[in-house]
């Protein structure tokens, strides 16, 4: 999606508050106010307030000077969880904290699964924060061989700490030759090899 626009304005109009901020997190809004040096925080969860209209009503119900208004009536049924997360803590005391959402769905793109790229014929104009991409990747559970690779690597690093930390290299002719780990151990590399894709 692209084209972030202001969809919700939140403010705090209580004269009792010295400071008020609104922050968008991945799970909801965090509304913080400071009264006589003491901080009070309220949370409006997206799970409990599915639409922007629901969020606005929930903020209104908080009291303590909080108010919220949709930027336009047409935004009422938009999903609250689509608000752009981690926008920062906006000041809201006696001024609107403007929360944005990417309103336009992009359809003219292709995916290159081998490289993990999204390709758009016209490019990706608009600069930082102009686009919102949501995707699913990885495994539901960490594969056994990846867990084993981590365990082996940690074990080798642990035993390395038991040796002289100043040791650069140690050689006893006909008996031993060793040096501290400087690269990923071969056994660990072998376990991880199926999960690594090398591209030119």
């Amino acid at each position: 999606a692209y084209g972030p626009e202001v969809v919700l304005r939140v403010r705090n109009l209580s004269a009792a508050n010295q400071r008020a901020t609104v922050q968008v997190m991945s799970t909801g809004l965090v509304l913080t106010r400071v009264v006589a040096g003491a901080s009070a925080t309220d949370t409006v969860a997206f799970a409990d307030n599915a639409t922007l209209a629901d969020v606005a009503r929930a903020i209104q119900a908080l009291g303590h000077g909080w108010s919220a208004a949709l930027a336009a009536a047409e935004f009422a049924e938009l999903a609250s969880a689509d608000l752009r997360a981690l926008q920062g803590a906006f000041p809201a005391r006696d001024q609107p904290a403007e929360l944005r959402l990417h309103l336009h769905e992009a359809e003219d793109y292709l995916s290159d699964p081998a490289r993990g790229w999204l390709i758009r014929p016209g490019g990706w104009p608009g600069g930082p924060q102009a686009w919102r991409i949501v995707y699913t990747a990885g495994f539901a559970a960490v594969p056994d061989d990846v867990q084993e690779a981590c365990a082996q690597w940690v074990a080798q690093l642990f035993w390395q700490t038991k040796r002289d930390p100043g040791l650069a290299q140690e050689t006893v002719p006909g008996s031993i030759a060793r040096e501290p780990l400087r690269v990923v151990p071969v056994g660990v590399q072998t376990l991880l090899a199926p999960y690594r894709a090398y591209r030119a």
Side-chain angles (χ1 to χ4, degrees):
Y2 63 96
E5 294 185 27
V6 175
V7 292
L8 184 66
R9 294 184 174 95
V10 181
R11 69 180 78 202
N12 190 295
L13 300 174
S14 174
N17 297 324
Q18 288 77 55
R19 187 164 61 88
T21 61
V22 180
Q23 186 169 13
V24 182
M25 307 300 286
S26 60
T27 56
L29 302 184
V30 177
L31 299 94
T32 304
R33 57 193 178 86
V34 176
V35 185
S39 180
T41 300
D42 292 295
T43 301
V44 176
F46 296 148
D48 300 326
N49 302 279
T51 68
L52 293 183
D54 294 334
V55 169
R57 283 190 290 270
I59 292 172
Q60 293 284 145
L62 292 175
H64 305 293
W66 289 111
S67 67
L70 296 168
E74 65 207 59
F75 300 149
E77 298 305 311
L78 294 177
S80 58
D82 285 343
L83 280 170
R84 187 163 64 81
L86 307 176
Q87 298 181 63
F90 293 115
R93 182 178 179 269
D94 296 329
Q95 62 181 308
E98 298 186 327
L99 308 184
R100 299 175 183 273
L101 188 149
H102 292 78
L103 288 178
H104 309 287
E105 297 290 329
E107 298 176 354
D108 56 341
Y109 66 90
L110 303 170
S111 63
D112 182 343
R115 293 185 177 89
W117 291 357
L118 289 180
I119 302 166
R120 189 168 178 266
W124 301 92
Q129 312 303 328
W131 296 86
R132 180 177 191 261
I133 299 171
V134 178
Y135 65 95
T136 302
F139 299 90
V142 179
D144 290 342
D145 43 2
V146 174
Q147 293 185 48
E148 177 62 25
C150 291
Q152 287 187 21
W153 199 350
V154 168
Q156 292 194 41
L157 291 172
F158 170 78
W159 286 113
Q160 182 170 302
T161 65
K162 302 300 180 185
R163 304 183 186 116
D164 178 2
L167 177 68
Q169 186 174 2
E170 179 182 28
T171 303
V172 177
S175 177
I176 190 172
R178 64 184 181 187
E179 60 184 35
L181 287 174
R182 291 191 176 87
V183 296
V184 179
V186 174
V188 173
Q189 291 183 37
T190 301
L191 287 166
L192 295 179
Y195 299 95
R196 303 188 68 184
Y198 296 94
R199 303 290 176 195

